[in-house]
Amino acid sequence: MKTRPPTTTSSIAMSSKLLTATAVLLIPALALAGEMKAPEKIYRSLDVRAVAGQEKALIKLEKRTAAYWRVTFDNPPFNIFGPETIPQMEKVVSQIEKDPDLRVIVFDSAVPGFFLTHYNFTPPLAESTGLPSGPTGLHPLPDMLVRISKAPVVSIALIRGRATGVGSELALASDMRFASRQKAILSQWEVGAGLVPGGGPMARLPRLMGRGRALEVLLGSDDINGDLAEEYGYVNRSFDDDKLDPFVDGLATRISGFDRQAIADTKRLVDFASLPSDPEIAAGWDAFITSIQRPVAQKNIGRLIDMGLQKDPDVEARLGHYTQSLADK
């Protein structure tokens, strides 16, 4: 990831950096407290490493054809997203942007029960805040989500299991979202823990489902199943689980055979009418950094960690239930 000189960032991005730096000394307290046939030939498959010498690949990139790639999250047991994931994800996003033949990318998971979940609260937060801003001037996480939305290729989220926090935000940043009726759960759980979501759902959800339903999702901080997600517009469609993969693969294969320039131009024009601006995304990240400094957030994350957050499968699988237990009685 290339470092951008501070003088080239916007005032909003600089504000985000200053807030992030302020939070470095405070955040560690959180951790301490606790339907076409798929092509038969694989074009290419490889692991994406975060840094030289890192042994564990958390993201796997499979190039099914030159025009159709799969990005698979593989960080068991819960597919938690953290600073160790960001450099690997940055490599993937850079390849998506630069490859001249790519037309479609599908995001999925190799971890049963979990598409992609919340941010990792256990590493020293300097590992996150020390990362340089991305090309947009935003923090690397919202930066990559913005770039995925604006890339000249089609992005599809295949959601089986929990898409919680970052997972929901990646799905929202993708061009299309398809979910398992029986196994998908989407959630923006942060308000229930005294936090403000940082990956842009306040800017994206109202455009998809309207203001009232967006506020229900964000402020209710509860789990949304595949059928309700479809009804609300959170996802394009939900399918019986055995129909999900054939549909997504068929759609991706179909689109991958179309003209790249026609795809890119059509998507760019839809973007004008539908995508939030970078300042809207930046404001959400600033609000997130501010919220994590408040004592109530530090207390609530500590309580969740004591209950088993990031350790107990029941806590991760029923995060909406455990978050509700934090509410004032």
Side-chain angles (χ1 to χ4, degrees), residues 227-280:
D227 280 340
L228 185 58
E230 178 184 33
E231 180 181 343
Y232 273 22
Y234 208 150
V235 300
N236 291 54
R237 285 193 261 176
S238 63
F239 293 88
D240 286 334
D241 190 67
D242 61 345
K243 303 292 196 305
L244 177 62
D245 291 275
F247 175 83
V248 172
D249 191 66
L251 179 63
T253 301
R254 176 182 173 87
I255 295 173
S256 71
F258 297 155
D259 178 70
R260 175 182 164 89
Q261 191 62 51
I263 291 170
D265 287 345
T266 301
K267 180 177 170 180
R268 174 174 53 83
L269 294 169
V270 171
D271 288 350
F272 288 154
S274 60
L275 286 187
S277 64
D278 289 4
E280 289 179 81

Coordinates of all heavy atoms in Angstrom, one line a residue, residues 227-280:
D227 N -34.6 -13.6 4.3 CA -35.9 -13.2 3.8 C -36.2 -11.7 4.1 O -36.7 -11.0 3.2 CB -37.0 -14.1 4.3 CG -37.1 -15.4 3.6 OD1 -36.6 -15.5 2.4 OD2 -37.7 -16.4 4.1
L228 N -36.0 -11.3 5.3 CA -36.3 -9.9 5.7 C -35.3 -9.0 5.0 O -35.7 -7.9 4.5 CB -36.2 -9.7 7.2 CG -36.5 -8.3 7.7 CD1 -38.0 -8.0 7.3 CD2 -36.4 -8.3 9.2
A229 N -34.1 -9.4 4.8 CA -33.1 -8.6 4.1 C -33.5 -8.4 2.7 O -33.4 -7.3 2.1 CB -31.7 -9.3 4.1
E230 N -34.1 -9.4 2.0 CA -34.6 -9.2 0.7 C -35.8 -8.3 0.7 O -35.9 -7.4 -0.2 CB -35.1 -10.6 0.1 CG -35.7 -10.5 -1.3 CD -36.2 -11.8 -1.8 OE1 -36.6 -12.6 -1.0 OE2 -36.1 -12.0 -3.0
E231 N -36.7 -8.5 1.6 CA -37.9 -7.6 1.7 C -37.5 -6.1 1.9 O -38.1 -5.2 1.3 CB -38.8 -8.1 2.8 CG -40.1 -7.2 3.0 CD -40.9 -7.7 4.2 OE1 -40.7 -8.8 4.7 OE2 -41.8 -6.9 4.6
Y232 N -36.5 -5.9 2.7 CA -36.1 -4.5 3.0 C -35.2 -3.9 1.9 O -35.0 -2.7 1.9 CB -35.4 -4.5 4.3 CG -36.3 -4.3 5.5 CD1 -37.6 -4.7 5.5 CD2 -35.8 -3.8 6.7 CE1 -38.4 -4.5 6.6 CE2 -36.6 -3.7 7.8 CZ -37.9 -4.0 7.7 OH -38.7 -3.9 8.8
G233 N -34.6 -4.7 1.0 CA -33.7 -4.2 0.0 C -32.3 -4.2 0.5 O -31.4 -3.7 -0.2
Y234 N -32.0 -4.9 1.6 CA -30.7 -5.0 2.2 C -29.8 -5.9 1.2 O -28.7 -5.7 1.0 CB -30.8 -5.7 3.5 CG -29.7 -5.5 4.5 CD1 -30.0 -5.5 5.9 CD2 -28.4 -5.2 4.2 CE1 -29.0 -5.3 6.9 CE2 -27.4 -5.0 5.1 CZ -27.7 -5.0 6.5 OH -26.8 -4.8 7.5
V235 N -30.5 -6.9 0.6 CA -29.9 -7.7 -0.5 C -30.8 -7.7 -1.7 O -32.0 -7.4 -1.6 CB -29.7 -9.2 0.0 CG1 -28.8 -9.2 1.2 CG2 -31.0 -9.9 0.3
N236 N -30.2 -8.1 -2.8 CA -31.0 -8.2 -4.1 C -32.1 -9.2 -3.9 O -33.3 -9.0 -4.2 CB -30.2 -8.5 -5.3 CG -29.2 -7.4 -5.6 OD1 -28.5 -6.9 -4.8 ND2 -29.3 -7.0 -6.9
R237 N -31.7 -10.4 -3.6 CA -32.6 -11.6 -3.4 C -32.0 -12.6 -2.4 O -30.8 -12.6 -2.2 CB -32.8 -12.3 -4.8 CG -33.7 -11.6 -5.8 CD -34.1 -12.5 -6.9 NE -33.2 -12.3 -8.1 CZ -33.3 -13.1 -9.2 NH1 -34.2 -14.1 -9.2 NH2 -32.6 -12.8 -10.2
S238 N -32.9 -13.3 -1.8 CA -32.5 -14.5 -1.0 C -32.9 -15.8 -1.7 O -34.0 -15.8 -2.4 CB -33.0 -14.4 0.4 OG -34.5 -14.5 0.4
F239 N -32.2 -16.8 -1.5 CA -32.4 -18.1 -2.2 C -32.4 -19.2 -1.2 O -31.6 -19.1 -0.2 CB -31.4 -18.4 -3.3 CG -31.4 -17.5 -4.5 CD1 -30.7 -16.3 -4.5 CD2 -32.2 -17.8 -5.6 CE1 -30.8 -15.4 -5.5 CE2 -32.2 -17.0 -6.7 CZ -31.5 -15.8 -6.7
D240 N -33.1 -20.3 -1.4 CA -32.8 -21.5 -0.6 C -31.3 -21.8 -0.8 O -30.7 -21.6 -1.8 CB -33.7 -22.7 -1.2 CG -35.1 -22.6 -0.8 OD1 -35.4 -21.9 0.3 OD2 -36.0 -23.1 -1.5
D241 N -30.8 -22.3 0.3 CA -29.3 -22.4 0.3 C -28.7 -23.2 -0.8 O -27.7 -22.8 -1.3 CB -28.9 -23.0 1.7 CG -27.4 -22.9 1.9 OD1 -26.9 -21.8 2.1 OD2 -26.7 -24.0 1.9
D242 N -29.4 -24.3 -1.2 CA -28.8 -25.1 -2.3 C -29.0 -24.4 -3.7 O -28.4 -24.9 -4.7 CB -29.5 -26.5 -2.3 CG -31.0 -26.4 -2.6 OD1 -31.6 -25.4 -2.4 OD2 -31.5 -27.5 -2.9
K243 N -29.7 -23.3 -3.8 CA -29.9 -22.6 -5.0 C -29.0 -21.4 -5.1 O -28.8 -20.8 -6.2 CB -31.3 -22.1 -5.2 CG -32.4 -23.2 -5.1 CD -32.3 -24.2 -6.3 CE -33.5 -25.0 -6.5 NZ -33.9 -25.8 -5.3
L244 N -28.4 -21.0 -4.0 CA -27.6 -19.7 -4.0 C -26.4 -19.8 -4.9 O -26.1 -18.9 -5.7 CB -27.2 -19.4 -2.5 CG -26.3 -18.2 -2.3 CD1 -27.0 -16.9 -2.8 CD2 -25.9 -18.1 -0.8
D245 N -25.5 -20.8 -4.7 CA -24.3 -20.9 -5.4 C -24.5 -21.0 -7.0 O -23.9 -20.3 -7.7 CB -23.4 -22.0 -4.9 CG -22.8 -21.7 -3.6 OD1 -21.8 -21.1 -3.4 OD2 -23.5 -22.2 -2.6
P246 N -25.4 -21.9 -7.4 CA -25.7 -21.9 -8.8 C -26.1 -20.6 -9.4 O -25.7 -20.3 -10.5 CB -26.7 -23.0 -9.0 CG -26.6 -23.9 -7.7 CD -26.2 -22.9 -6.7
F247 N -27.0 -19.9 -8.7 CA -27.5 -18.6 -9.2 C -26.3 -17.6 -9.4 O -26.2 -17.0 -10.4 CB -28.6 -18.0 -8.4 CG -29.0 -16.7 -8.8 CD1 -29.9 -16.5 -9.9 CD2 -28.4 -15.5 -8.3 CE1 -30.3 -15.3 -10.4 CE2 -28.8 -14.3 -8.8 CZ -29.7 -14.1 -9.8
V248 N -25.6 -17.4 -8.3 CA -24.5 -16.4 -8.3 C -23.5 -16.8 -9.3 O -23.0 -15.9 -10.1 CB -23.9 -16.3 -6.9 CG1 -22.6 -15.4 -7.0 CG2 -24.9 -15.7 -5.9
D249 N -23.1 -18.0 -9.4 CA -22.1 -18.4 -10.4 C -22.6 -18.2 -11.8 O -21.9 -17.8 -12.7 CB -21.7 -19.9 -10.2 CG -20.5 -20.3 -11.0 OD1 -19.4 -19.7 -10.7 OD2 -20.6 -21.1 -11.9
G250 N -23.9 -18.6 -12.0 CA -24.5 -18.4 -13.4 C -24.5 -16.9 -13.8 O -24.2 -16.6 -14.9
L251 N -24.9 -16.0 -12.8 CA -25.0 -14.6 -13.1 C -23.6 -14.1 -13.4 O -23.4 -13.3 -14.3 CB -25.6 -13.9 -12.0 CG -25.7 -12.4 -12.1 CD1 -26.6 -12.0 -13.3 CD2 -26.3 -11.7 -10.8
A252 N -22.6 -14.4 -12.5 CA -21.3 -13.9 -12.7 C -20.7 -14.4 -14.0 O -20.0 -13.6 -14.7 CB -20.4 -14.4 -11.5
T253 N -20.9 -15.6 -14.4 CA -20.4 -16.2 -15.6 C -21.0 -15.5 -16.8 O -20.3 -15.1 -17.8 CB -20.7 -17.7 -15.7 OG1 -20.0 -18.4 -14.6 CG2 -20.1 -18.3 -17.0
R254 N -22.3 -15.2 -16.7 CA -23.0 -14.5 -17.8 C -22.4 -13.1 -18.0 O -22.1 -12.7 -19.1 CB -24.5 -14.4 -17.5 CG -25.3 -13.6 -18.4 CD -26.8 -13.6 -18.0 NE -27.6 -12.7 -18.8 CZ -28.2 -13.0 -19.9 NH1 -28.1 -14.3 -20.4 NH2 -28.9 -12.1 -20.6
I255 N -22.3 -12.3 -16.9 CA -21.8 -11.0 -17.0 C -20.4 -11.0 -17.5 O -19.9 -10.1 -18.3 CB -21.9 -10.2 -15.7 CG1 -23.4 -10.1 -15.3 CG2 -21.3 -8.9 -15.7 CD1 -23.7 -9.5 -13.9
S256 N -19.6 -11.9 -17.1 CA -18.1 -12.0 -17.4 C -17.9 -12.1 -18.9 O -16.8 -11.9 -19.4 CB -17.4 -13.1 -16.7 OG -17.8 -14.4 -17.1
G257 N -19.0 -12.6 -19.6 CA -18.8 -12.7 -21.1 C -19.2 -11.5 -21.9 O -19.0 -11.4 -23.1
F258 N -19.6 -10.4 -21.2 CA -20.0 -9.2 -21.8 C -18.9 -8.2 -22.0 O -17.8 -8.4 -21.4 CB -21.2 -8.5 -21.1 CG -22.4 -9.3 -21.0 CD1 -23.3 -9.1 -20.0 CD2 -22.7 -10.3 -21.9 CE1 -24.5 -9.9 -19.9 CE2 -23.9 -11.0 -21.9 CZ -24.8 -10.8 -20.8
D259 N -19.1 -7.2 -22.8 CA -18.0 -6.2 -23.1 C -17.6 -5.4 -21.9 O -18.5 -4.9 -21.2 CB -18.5 -5.3 -24.2 CG -17.5 -4.2 -24.5 OD1 -16.4 -4.6 -25.1 OD2 -17.7 -3.0 -24.2
R260 N -16.3 -5.4 -21.6 CA -15.8 -4.8 -20.4 C -16.2 -3.3 -20.4 O -16.6 -2.7 -19.3 CB -14.3 -5.0 -20.2 CG -13.7 -4.2 -19.0 CD -12.2 -4.4 -19.0 NE -11.6 -3.4 -18.1 CZ -11.4 -3.6 -16.8 NH1 -11.8 -4.7 -16.2 NH2 -10.8 -2.6 -16.1
Q261 N -16.0 -2.6 -21.5 CA -16.2 -1.1 -21.5 C -17.7 -0.8 -21.3 O -18.1 0.1 -20.6 CB -15.8 -0.5 -22.9 CG -15.7 1.0 -22.9 CD -14.8 1.5 -21.8 OE1 -13.6 1.1 -21.8 NE2 -15.2 2.4 -21.0
A262 N -18.6 -1.6 -21.9 CA -20.0 -1.4 -21.7 C -20.4 -1.6 -20.2 O -21.2 -0.9 -19.7 CB -20.8 -2.4 -22.6
I263 N -19.8 -2.6 -19.6 CA -20.0 -2.9 -18.2 C -19.6 -1.7 -17.4 O -20.3 -1.1 -16.5 CB -19.3 -4.1 -17.7 CG1 -19.9 -5.4 -18.3 CG2 -19.3 -4.2 -16.2 CD1 -19.1 -6.7 -18.1
A264 N -18.3 -1.2 -17.6 CA -17.8 -0.1 -16.8 C -18.5 1.2 -17.0 O -18.8 1.9 -16.0 CB -16.3 0.1 -17.2
D265 N -18.9 1.5 -18.2 CA -19.7 2.7 -18.5 C -21.1 2.7 -17.9 O -21.5 3.7 -17.3 CB -19.8 3.0 -20.0 CG -18.5 3.4 -20.6 OD1 -17.6 3.8 -19.9 OD2 -18.4 3.4 -21.9
T266 N -21.7 1.6 -18.0 CA -23.0 1.5 -17.3 C -23.0 1.6 -15.8 O -23.7 2.3 -15.2 CB -23.7 0.1 -17.7 OG1 -23.8 0.0 -19.1 CG2 -25.1 0.0 -17.1
K267 N -22.0 0.9 -15.3 CA -21.8 1.0 -13.8 C -21.5 2.4 -13.4 O -22.0 2.9 -12.4 CB -20.7 0.0 -13.3 CG -20.5 0.1 -11.8 CD -19.5 -0.9 -11.3 CE -19.2 -0.6 -9.9 NZ -18.2 -1.5 -9.3
R268 N -20.6 3.1 -14.1 CA -20.2 4.5 -13.8 C -21.4 5.4 -13.8 O -21.6 6.2 -12.9 CB -19.2 5.0 -14.8 CG -18.8 6.4 -14.6 CD -17.7 6.8 -15.6 NE -17.9 6.4 -16.9 CZ -18.7 7.1 -17.8 NH1 -19.2 8.3 -17.4 NH2 -18.9 6.7 -19.0
L269 N -22.3 5.2 -14.7 CA -23.5 6.1 -14.8 C -24.5 5.8 -13.7 O -25.2 6.7 -13.1 CB -24.2 6.0 -16.1 CG -23.4 6.5 -17.3 CD1 -24.0 6.1 -18.6 CD2 -23.2 8.0 -17.2
V270 N -24.6 4.5 -13.3 CA -25.5 4.1 -12.1 C -24.9 4.7 -10.9 O -25.6 5.2 -10.0 CB -25.6 2.6 -12.0 CG1 -26.3 2.2 -10.7 CG2 -26.5 2.1 -13.2
D271 N -23.5 4.7 -10.8 CA -22.9 5.2 -9.6 C -23.2 6.7 -9.4 O -23.4 7.1 -8.2 CB -21.3 5.1 -9.8 CG -20.8 3.7 -9.6 OD1 -21.6 2.8 -9.2 OD2 -19.7 3.5 -9.9
F272 N -23.3 7.5 -10.4 CA -23.7 8.9 -10.3 C -25.0 9.1 -9.5 O -25.1 10.0 -8.7 CB -23.9 9.6 -11.7 CG -22.6 9.8 -12.4 CD1 -22.6 9.9 -13.8 CD2 -21.4 9.9 -11.8 CE1 -21.4 10.1 -14.5 CE2 -20.2 10.1 -12.4 CZ -20.2 10.2 -13.8
A273 N -25.9 8.2 -9.7 CA -27.2 8.3 -9.1 C -27.4 7.6 -7.8 O -28.4 7.9 -7.1 CB -28.3 7.7 -10.1
S274 N -26.4 6.8 -7.4 CA -26.6 5.9 -6.2 C -25.6 5.9 -5.2 O -25.9 5.6 -4.0 CB -26.9 4.5 -6.7 OG -25.7 4.0 -7.4
L275 N -24.3 6.3 -5.5 CA -23.3 6.1 -4.5 C -23.2 7.3 -3.6 O -23.3 8.5 -4.0 CB -21.9 5.9 -5.2 CG -21.6 4.5 -5.8 CD1 -20.2 4.4 -6.2 CD2 -22.0 3.4 -4.8
P276 N -22.9 7.1 -2.3 CA -22.6 8.3 -1.4 C -21.3 8.9 -1.8 O -20.4 8.2 -2.4 CB -22.6 7.7 0.0 CG -22.2 6.2 -0.3 CD -22.8 5.9 -1.6
S277 N -21.1 10.1 -1.4 CA -19.8 10.8 -1.7 C -18.8 10.4 -0.7 O -19.1 9.9 0.4 CB -20.0 12.3 -1.6 OG -20.3 12.7 -0.2
D278 N -17.5 10.6 -1.0 CA -16.4 10.2 -0.1 C -16.5 11.0 1.2 O -16.3 10.4 2.3 CB -15.1 10.5 -0.7 CG -14.7 9.5 -1.9 OD1 -15.6 8.7 -2.2 OD2 -13.6 9.6 -2.4
P279 N -16.9 12.3 1.2 CA -17.1 13.0 2.5 C -18.1 12.3 3.4 O -17.9 12.3 4.7 CB -17.5 14.4 2.1 CG -16.8 14.6 0.8 CD -16.9 13.2 0.1
E280 N -19.2 11.8 2.8 CA -20.2 11.1 3.7 C -19.6 9.8 4.3 O -19.8 9.6 5.5 CB -21.4 10.6 2.8 CG -22.3 11.7 2.3 CD -23.4 11.2 1.5 OE1 -24.4 10.7 2.1 OE2 -23.3 11.3 0.2

